[in-house]
Amino acid sequence: MVLMNGHITDANLIIALDALLAEQSVTRAAERLHTSPAAMSRTLGRLRRLLGDPLLVRAGQAMVPTPRAQELREEVAAVVRRFNALLTPGADVDPTTLRRTFGLQAADVVSAALMPRLLTITAREAPGVSVRFRDEELEGSAALREGRIDLEIGVLDHIDPETRAEPLTTLHMSLGVRKGHALTRQPLTPARLAAASHVIASRRGRVTGPIDTALAGLDLRRSVAAVLPSHLAAMTLAARTDLVCLVPVSATDAGSCPFADVAVTLGLHLIEIPLALPPVEIGMAWHPRHSADGGHRWLRSVVRRALSLPPP
């Protein structure tokens, strides 16, 4: 229903009026709207009574618009265009027109891996967009549900039931050591791995994980020298000392892995761990109210591409 001439009017009348004014023919307007000429003729009669104007009048074999109809033509066409746009589900947006700030939540190593590629794509496609990364203090909270963040990226083992999620990539753990470290001179064995001094990254201060379970199966136990709440801090410490740390890298192609890029940039040398460790599944999650939003769909596509494209 729409407001027309001070009255609430059936939207179909506006659509019919647009067709009649554009075609200037009852028959052609009927064809355009897939109805019969008789039904369109009755609609024209309703419009004439509603507007108090004949709208289309005979001129020989044709029909011509009245001055009132000519005045209405562009306005009615614009109303129909807006009406159609309003009812078009999930319309894509032109990213160059976006003016938004998106809030993302991720661990620091995920943010560091994503940001260079994500910002390069954003600057090229949507210069009016900015991103704001939040650390893991919101993990397990209602931040997505409450709209405090737009997207969560990481290990998704705590999301709300209604939350939408999509897998992004599978990672496995490598060992990060400084260049020239003693562990780079000989093949790495479980015993040498356990004997090294480890720095652990754990926001909750945990000192054990899957690697300890695997070592315990071989009657081995690793030596933990330090526990830090930040992955990047642990990797930086390992790059400057003889401590070693775990680094997530792509399970398929470490050579094009943004996580490996972060480690190499910090000065780490990566070594394959000789243990069967479970993979780490990285995904993104969002609240369903954003599923059909064109801007949010574009954001999700950028995250996918940032994790799959070679460095820009």
Side-chain angles (χ1 to χ4, degrees), residues 104 109-125 131 133 151 153 166 168-169 171 250 253 255-262 282 284 297-312:
L104 289 77
V109 68
V110 176
S111 301
L114 268 178
M115 283 295 274
R117 303 179 187 194
L118 186 147
L119 291 180
T120 297
I121 297 171
T122 298
R124 182 173 62 242
E125 297 182 7
V131 293
F133 269 90
L151 198 64
I153 306 167
E166 176 185 323
L168 291 171
T169 188
L171 305 176
S250 171
D253 184 5
S256 63
C257 172
F259 294 90
D261 294 343
V262 174
I282 299 295
M284 61 179 170
R297 285 209 308 270
W298 172 84
L299 173 67
R300 300 196 299 269
S301 78
V302 172
V303 171
R304 292 186 204 103
R305 286 179 282 158
L307 283 175
S308 63
L309 292 177

Side-chain angles (χ1 to χ4, degrees), residues 75-305:
E75 183 179 354
V76 170
V79 168
V80 171
R81 285 195 298 270
R82 290 196 297 269
F83 183 73
N84 289 334
L86 180 65
L87 296 183
T88 300
D92 290 329
V93 300
D94 179 358
T96 63
T97 67
L98 283 176
R99 299 293 183 271
R100 290 173 67 173
T101 297
F102 291 106
L104 289 77
Q105 176 193 324
D108 59 352
V109 68
V110 176
S111 301
L114 268 178
M115 283 295 274
R117 303 179 187 194
L118 186 147
L119 291 180
T120 297
I121 297 171
T122 298
R124 182 173 62 242
E125 297 182 7
V129 165
S130 62
V131 293
R132 181 179 302 165
F133 269 90
R134 303 288 299 272
D135 206 348
E136 295 172 283
E137 81 276 3
L138 295 178
E139 184 179 281
S141 71
L144 282 174
R145 178 182 290 171
E146 295 171 356
R148 287 184 284 160
I149 57 174
D150 297 292
L151 198 64
E152 178 177 349
I153 306 167
V155 178
L156 306 177
D157 56 3
H158 54 271
I159 57 177
D160 294 320
E162 77 272 18
T163 302
R164 304 289 175 85
E166 176 185 323
L168 291 171
T169 188
T170 300
L171 305 176
H172 74 273
M173 290 298 177
S174 286
L175 192 68
V177 303
R178 67 169 178 82
K179 293 179 180 178
H181 195 285
L183 290 180
T184 64
R185 299 172 194 151
Q186 300 178 36
L188 184 64
T189 63
R192 296 183 72 214
L193 173 64
S197 293
H198 291 249
V199 54
I200 294 177
S202 173
R203 188 166 51 87
R204 297 182 177 89
R206 294 173 180 168
V207 296
T208 60
I211 191 171
D212 299 286
T213 302
L215 287 171
L218 300 173
D219 293 325
L220 296 171
R221 182 177 179 179
R222 65 174 169 165
S223 173
V224 177
V227 180
L228 295 176
S230 161
H231 293 272
L232 292 181
M235 293 163 67
T236 300
L237 182 60
R240 297 180 178 180
T241 67
D242 281 336
L243 298 180
V244 303
C245 68
L246 299 181
V247 178
V249 297
S250 171
T252 55
D253 184 5
S256 63
C257 172
F259 294 90
D261 294 343
V262 174
V264 172
T265 298
L266 291 173
L268 289 174
H269 177 84
L270 298 178
I271 305 174
E272 191 75 20
I273 295 176
L275 296 170
L277 300 178
V280 178
E281 303 295 337
I282 299 295
M284 61 179 170
W286 63 95
H287 193 271
R289 66 173 170 272
H290 293 307
S291 291
D293 176 65
H296 200 280
R297 285 209 308 270
W298 172 84
L299 173 67
R300 300 196 299 269
S301 78
V302 172
V303 171
R304 292 186 204 103
R305 286 179 282 158

